Amino acid sequence: MTDSSVLTVPRTGAPASDVVARAVEALQRGSLVVLPTETVYSLAARADDPEALRRLEEVKGRADALPFTWHVGEPGAFLAGAALPRLVGRVVDRYWPGPLTLVARGAFEGVGAIESDGWTGVRAPAHDATRAVLEAAPFPVVMTSANRGGEAPALDAEGVRGVFTDDEVDLVLDGGPASLGESSTVAAIGPGRFEVLREGIVEAGELTRAAGLSLLFVCTGNTCRSPMAEALARAALQSVLETDDEGTFGFDVASAGVFAGPGAPASENAVAVLAERGIDLSGHASSPAIDRDVVARDRVYCMTASHRDALLAMLPPNAEVEIDLLDPAGRDVPDPFGGPIEVYRATADAIESFIAARLLEWA
């Protein structure tokens, strides 16, 4: 490649506006541009231009038919179209910009050509110059490692110059050697799927912990309301996540009682009412609310204001934990203990409606 087709950009900080404009103009007309990332250098093309995608495939010389990855400067447009936006958003907040590619399900404007069975690969790279180009482009951009199919990716601009010609690549932004020098972790996260497709810097266990939430439901004796809330929350999460194990998405759901002893079964009517909903509560054993368990939770939901007051009284004043009433409107959930099964049904209905209202906060 000629020197005129390589422009130097800073490793950190905003690049010159004319450099960004030149890169965007090249992409706009369907040319290929090489952009730096923290992992490897990448070939970039306009995602909504079939001819540009064809050229990218040809220059890459890739034998497989896998779609390219959409790259974004900011995650807003991606999250607006993603399924499970809260869950995916927690992962994005933790790892973007950075070496994580998400394969997500959703309705993403302008990137239909790179979907595979409704799933789209998306990444926000941690290189300021590349992010500036992506943010300035009024169209979606896809990127793939800068190498021929089967060869090692280029880790600097010199490596790119030794592989591609001016006829193949219009412009290279030289942002110095890639700081990490290895490929990103690739993980598929969406309804019915939580799977690491390629190991990288981000470990699977870390990813799971970042995605899910640890939820605790609290009542008095942990035999009626909070066990029903725990079981109904699990069922709701499994439904929206399209799984039979919410734990694979990082969710940990439990219940306790502020005056509970250990090991008591759920009340007979609570078991019966949830059985009517196809949920087995017969194996429940009560647990007392313990301060170290409470503070370890991401969210704690109490049945009444008195339960919340009791928890706050047992915790140190600097404890960082969200403790709310389960009812988003702040009303108490009446205790059905000792009442007929109709009262338990009404209580379960109320709890189920409050969980439905909370569900979008979780997933």
Side-chain angles (χ1 to χ4, degrees), residues 68-188:
F68 296 114
T69 301
W70 176 26
H71 280 62
V72 298
E74 293 296 335
F78 159 62
L79 288 175
L84 307 180
R86 295 288 186 177
L87 184 147
V88 173
R90 286 191 291 273
V91 173
V92 164
D93 288 344
R94 173 69 178 82
Y95 295 110
W96 279 7
L100 174 67
T101 297
L102 290 176
V103 179
R105 183 180 287 278
F108 305 122
E109 185 175 353
V111 295
I114 62 168
E115 289 180 1
S116 178
D117 296 327
W119 295 81
T120 302
V122 193
R123 184 181 165 210
H127 196 292
D128 290 343
T130 295
R131 294 182 69 201
V133 172
L134 295 172
E135 289 176 31
F139 45 79
V141 174
V142 294
M143 292 164 59
T144 182
S145 57
N147 59 284
R148 305 291 187 189
E151 298 179 0
L155 301 182
D156 54 30
E158 193 60 35
V160 172
R161 296 178 70 170
V163 175
F164 302 106
T165 68
D166 285 335
D167 289 337
E168 294 173 316
V169 172
D170 186 85
L171 182 67
V172 176
L173 298 193
D174 182 356
S179 58
L180 298 180
E182 63 178 280
S183 298
S184 65
T185 295
V186 180

Side-chain angles (χ1 to χ4, degrees), residues 283-305:
H284 173 76
S286 64
S287 299
I290 301 172
D291 54 359
R292 63 176 179 273
D293 183 40
V294 173
V295 298
R297 299 285 170 172
D298 295 309
R299 312 276 174 84
V300 178
Y301 297 100
C302 296
M303 299 301 115
T304 70

Side-chain angles (χ1 to χ4, degrees), residues 235-248:
L237 282 168
Q238 289 173 12
S239 177
V240 74
L241 297 173
E242 297 183 16
T243 181
D244 57 4
D245 181 8
E246 72 285 349
T248 61

